[in-house]
Amino acid sequence: MKGEKRNKKNQPKEVKIGFSGNDSAPKIVKNKSLKTASKKSGIPSYVANRMARRIAFTTGIPTLSGMGVFIGSYFLISKGIAEISPTLTLVSSAICFLVGLLGLSYGILSASWDFTPGTFLGFENIKPNINRMKDAFKTSQKDIAG
């Protein structure tokens, strides 16, 4: 036993919670095999980068527009250029934020999962990505039930 060396890579890592001097604190054991399994089943990085770019574009512009409505209406009212009701300001900014929310879903669903990026708008990728999402929910419910 004394001559036997432990392989640190294969040993689970213990993490103590609380103060370092407290021996009665609960311990959490991190199993490294779970990390490798979760890395294999996920969104590939090239797809995630495509999604992030699309989300930034399709959500960022409407969100900035929604904030710009407040700034623009304030400017127009304070300079006396136009009389804008607060209701119109709120409704128009809410519409911009709603478009941004829809852009979030569109940015995720329109990204191509192939190595090639696909078309600029990505309409052809929406239906296959919805099917992928449905399949993922089906398998996760099978894992929960079984």
Side-chain angles (χ1 to χ4, degrees), residues 52-71 92-104 106-107 120-121:
R53 282 192 302 268
R54 286 182 185 260
I55 288 169
F57 182 73
T58 58
T59 302
I61 292 174
T63 302
L64 290 175
S65 299
M67 289 184 257
V69 166
F70 285 110
I71 295 169
S92 59
S93 66
I95 289 171
C96 290
F97 289 129
L98 181 64
V99 170
L101 183 64
L102 294 174
L104 178 69
Y106 174 76
F120 180 71
L121 294 176

Side-chain angles (χ1 to χ4, degrees), residues 1 7 17 25-26 29 32 41 43-44 48 56 81 97 104 109 115 132 140-141 144:
M1 285 192 196
N7 189 354
I17 299 175
V29 177
K32 292 188 178 188
S41 64
I43 299 173
I81 297 172
F97 289 129
L104 178 69
L109 293 174
F115 285 112
R132 280 188 185 102
S140 67
Q141 287 189 357
I144 292 171

Side-chain angles (χ1 to χ4, degrees), residues 22-97:
N22 188 0
D23 292 332
S24 64
K27 296 176 184 175
I28 297 174
V29 177
K30 292 183 179 179
N31 197 350
K32 292 188 178 188
S33 64
L34 294 176
K35 288 183 182 178
T36 57
S38 66
K39 286 183 182 177
K40 291 179 184 176
S41 64
I43 299 173
S45 62
Y46 61 91
V47 176
N49 291 338
R50 258 183 232 139
M51 286 181 185
R53 282 192 302 268
R54 286 182 185 260
I55 288 169
F57 182 73
T58 58
T59 302
I61 292 174
T63 302
L64 290 175
S65 299
M67 289 184 257
V69 166
F70 285 110
I71 295 169
S73 66
Y74 172 76
F75 177 75
L76 292 174
I77 292 170
S78 66
K79 296 292 183 182
I81 297 172
E83 187 64 34
I84 301 171
S85 70
T87 305
L88 181 64
T89 302
L90 289 174
V91 168
S92 59
S93 66
I95 289 171
C96 290
F97 289 129

